[in-house]
Amino acid sequence: MSTREPGWMRRLGVYLMRHRRNLAIALVAAILGAACQVTTPLVARTIVDDVIVKRSTPLAPWLALLIALALLAFGFSYLRRYRGGRIGLDVQNDLRNDMHDRLQQLDASTLDTMSTGQLVARANSDTALVQGLLNFVPLISGNVLMMVLSLIVMFVLSPLLALVSLAIVPALIAISYRMRSRVFPASWDGQQKEGELAGIVDEDVAGVRVVKAFGQEQRELRRLADAAGALYGSQMRTVRIQSRYQPLLEAVPVLGQVGILALGGALALGGAITLGTFLAFSTYIAQLMAPSRQLAGMLTIAQQARAGVERIFQLLDLRPAVADAPDAVDLPAQPGDVVFDDVTFAYPDGAPVLDGFTLTVRAGERVALVGTSGSGKSTLGRMLVRYYDPDSGAVTIGGH
């Protein structure tokens, strides 16, 4: 029976749980801030209906309450943004450290197949996308809660107007799903091409003397220009997708606001609802505009971050081909003789570099290995420190 691999959100959640204290503080601040924002229109409704129209209550206490709610909302917003930003940086730092640790554990044959540019892109741009997504988590959670509480209050005040405000939800869901299916592959392709560009830059910087010695400057410039052009085209594809769907996500709530204002104004003029209720509804609808715009941005960032997260975990999931046996022991400070016993080794898709090689080096003895380039001298040194294991035969140190 096959076990399903956990999704990228669940795996990222494991990193979030390492910083659960900051996460809890940010979420609580988001909840309390949302409660303050939902309460404010109700206070304004009371001021209009009871203080201005009916003149049945004094104005000063309600004004004081509005000021207090504004100060509390500011404090909770600061706490939410500060702790949320810290969570993003902490998780980004954890991912970078885990990638570094994984690279230290991999064997040389696996590392030889990996592009330096792709590793740099994962450590920099991919983790930056993850940080950008996590900065949104406390913010979007508070706004989602505010939307839910606002809708509850709106249904209590006027079920008809609340139903009209919900009419835009199916359109938002359809547009969001369509956008999601297109942004993710475009983002993945862009991240891959960014890694390829970084790899070319790394090769040219490290091998600048060789490039100059053979007069290949123009060739390398063309390679770099071609890679940069491919990256530009891939990123423009993402921009075109965003420019097509994000305005729709922002325009649909505005259409809902127009419907609410038209119907609510007619109900207020007809006496079906009070002027204060109409004002409260108008405020709630205006408050819902910001979460709607954030939804558009969140969907884009989430799909870009998903591409980055999956590329990061693609690296973290690599397992070394060379690993210690369960009964492996630590070598002593003076381990003894080094013995290559009938060692045969070939690199992938290549002829054997070593074939039946045998050598014994006594403790304290110095031996020089002499041979032409490609004869296997460096390979023997790498096998001694176990960057590679032999295809057959054995390498022992002090009998181990």
Side-chain angles (χ1 to χ4, degrees), residues 248-291:
L248 285 174
L249 287 172
E250 295 177 3
V252 169
V254 175
L255 296 176
Q257 185 181 24
V258 172
I260 289 293
L261 292 176
L263 180 59
L267 293 175
L269 291 174
I273 60 174
T274 65
L275 185 60
T277 299
F278 175 66
L279 176 63
F281 253 91
S282 301
T283 306
Y284 283 129
I285 293 299
Q287 286 182 347
L288 294 179
M289 291 299 101

Side-chain angles (χ1 to χ4, degrees), residues 59-377:
L59 177 61
W62 296 107
L63 288 179
L65 181 56
L66 280 178
I67 294 173
L69 287 172
L71 292 175
L72 287 172
F74 169 79
F76 291 134
S77 177
Y78 168 80
L79 195 60
R80 177 193 65 193
R81 291 177 181 275
Y82 173 76
R83 295 290 178 170
R86 184 169 178 177
I87 290 170
L89 290 173
D90 287 340
V91 172
Q92 182 187 43
N93 185 59
D94 290 345
L95 288 171
R96 283 174 173 166
N97 287 335
D98 286 353
M99 283 190 286
H100 175 269
D101 293 344
R102 175 59 64 201
L103 289 174
Q104 299 303 313
Q105 295 169 3
L106 293 176
D107 56 286
S109 59
T110 302
L111 291 174
D112 287 343
T113 64
M114 303 180 69
S115 165
T116 303
Q118 293 292 348
L119 296 178
V120 172
R122 282 169 168 82
N124 289 334
S125 58
D126 288 351
T127 57
L129 290 174
V130 175
Q131 180 201 357
L133 172 65
L134 295 181
N135 287 343
F136 258 95
V137 171
L139 182 65
I140 202 70
S141 60
N143 285 331
V144 168
L145 179 63
M146 185 191 72
M147 293 175 66
V148 173
L149 294 178
S150 297
L151 288 172
I152 293 174
V153 175
M154 290 163 71
F155 269 103
V156 172
L157 295 178
S158 176
L160 178 59
L161 287 178
L163 287 174
V164 172
S165 66
L166 286 177
I168 64 173
V169 172
L172 287 175
I173 293 176
I175 296 171
S176 302
Y177 181 80
R178 184 73 172 174
M179 180 180 176
R180 171 183 173 274
S181 64
R182 295 183 174 230
V183 170
F184 171 69
S187 299
W188 181 283
D189 183 64
Q191 294 300 104
Q192 286 290 113
K193 285 183 168 54
E194 185 173 343
E196 293 170 6
L197 179 63
I200 293 175
V201 173
D202 175 74
E203 291 173 3
D204 287 346
V205 171
V208 62
R209 293 181 176 84
V210 177
V211 172
K212 287 184 174 296
F214 288 91
Q216 296 297 308
E217 293 90 345
Q218 293 302 317
R219 175 179 176 275
E220 292 303 311
L221 283 174
R222 285 194 298 271
R223 283 183 66 212
L224 184 63
D226 291 343
L231 174 60
Y232 175 81
S234 179
Q235 291 177 336
M236 278 303 301
R237 177 188 172 199
T238 305
V239 170
R240 283 194 296 269
I241 295 173
Q242 293 175 12
S243 62
R244 185 182 309 161
Y245 289 100
Q246 281 192 342
L248 285 174
L249 287 172
E250 295 177 3
V252 169
V254 175
L255 296 176
Q257 185 181 24
V258 172
I260 289 293
L261 292 176
L263 180 59
L267 293 175
L269 291 174
I273 60 174
T274 65
L275 185 60
T277 299
F278 175 66
L279 176 63
F281 253 91
S282 301
T283 306
Y284 283 129
I285 293 299
Q287 286 182 347
L288 294 179
M289 291 299 101
S292 300
R293 294 188 181 94
Q294 288 174 355
L295 174 64
M298 178 69 176
L299 288 171
T300 302
I301 292 176
Q303 292 310 306
Q304 291 174 339
R306 176 190 171 191
V309 170
E310 292 191 358
R311 280 163 47 85
I312 290 171
F313 284 121
Q314 190 181 59
L315 171 61
L316 295 178
D317 289 340
L318 291 175
R319 293 293 179 264
V322 177
D324 287 339
D327 58 348
V329 298
D330 291 333
L331 294 178
Q334 298 179 348
D337 299 345
V338 174
V339 177
F340 293 86
D341 185 14
D342 196 23
V343 170
T344 299
F345 176 80
Y347 290 101
D349 301 326
V353 178
L354 301 173
D355 188 6
F357 179 81
T358 298
L359 173 67
T360 299
V361 182
R362 303 295 179 187
E365 185 181 6
R366 296 183 180 182
V367 174
L369 297 175
V370 181
T372 60
S373 178
S375 61
K377 304 184 299 299

